[in-house]
Amino acid sequence: MKVKKKDNIRYRFTGYVLAALKRAKRDYICREIKISNHESPLEKLLPEPLCDITDSKPFLWEETEQIPLIPDEVRQYMESQIGESGETALDALTDMEILVVFMKVFRQLTYHGVSI
């Protein structure tokens, strides 16, 4: 059985497409493996739980309600809570960003509540 020239070109093109699909699949899998090797679970980074979820909200509300929304005082409170490891990150934030982070994280307001 003789293969026509058109069929031969079609089979070769199909072979090229299949090879490209296999190569794309291989590259995708290698990329996913590389990404997953760089990720680590949060439990490895935090040696102990930060706080108990059941009692964190009342504690934060009682303590943070007493702090006025003055950037310097908020910054001092956040530095005392975060410690030395987060001081460089806090130094990079502006006063407005400090207030937003404080209201979002410590007072646990929604973004709508922060904007009001």
Side-chain angles (χ1 to χ4, degrees):
M1 188 156 97
K2 193 164 182 168
V3 178
K4 295 181 183 177
K5 190 174 185 179
K6 252 185 182 175
D7 290 337
N8 191 17
I9 292 172
R10 186 178 304 152
Y11 293 142
R12 287 177 50 196
F13 178 73
T14 304
Y16 290 137
V17 170
L18 289 175
L21 286 174
K22 287 179 184 177
R23 186 171 44 252
K25 182 179 177 182
R26 182 195 68 218
D27 292 346
Y28 173 78
I29 291 172
C30 288
R31 208 171 32 246
E32 288 298 312
I33 290 171
K34 188 176 182 180
I35 290 171
S36 67
N37 286 340
H38 288 292
E39 294 177 354
S40 62
L42 187 60
E43 291 82 24
K44 289 183 180 178
L45 297 176
L46 300 174
E48 57 188 42
L50 291 176
C51 62
D52 188 12
I53 295 174
T54 57
D55 65 357
S56 65
K57 192 165 185 171
F59 171 73
L60 288 175
W61 272 103
E62 291 171 6
E63 188 175 331
T64 59
E65 279 296 315
Q66 299 171 0
I67 299 171
L69 291 177
I70 299 171
D72 293 331
E73 293 185 23
V74 170
R75 188 181 300 268
Q76 288 175 355
Y77 173 77
M78 289 177 67
E79 285 176 354
S80 70
Q81 294 296 315
I82 294 173
E84 294 178 12
S85 61
E87 284 185 23
T88 56
L90 289 176
D91 291 339
L93 298 177
T94 64
D95 290 343
M96 184 60 72
E97 292 169 338
I98 286 286
L99 292 175
V100 169
V101 169
F102 175 73
M103 289 186 287
K104 179 69 179 143
V105 175
F106 289 95
R107 288 196 179 170
Q108 298 184 356
L109 297 176
T110 62
Y111 287 113
H112 179 69
V114 170
S115 68
I116 293 178

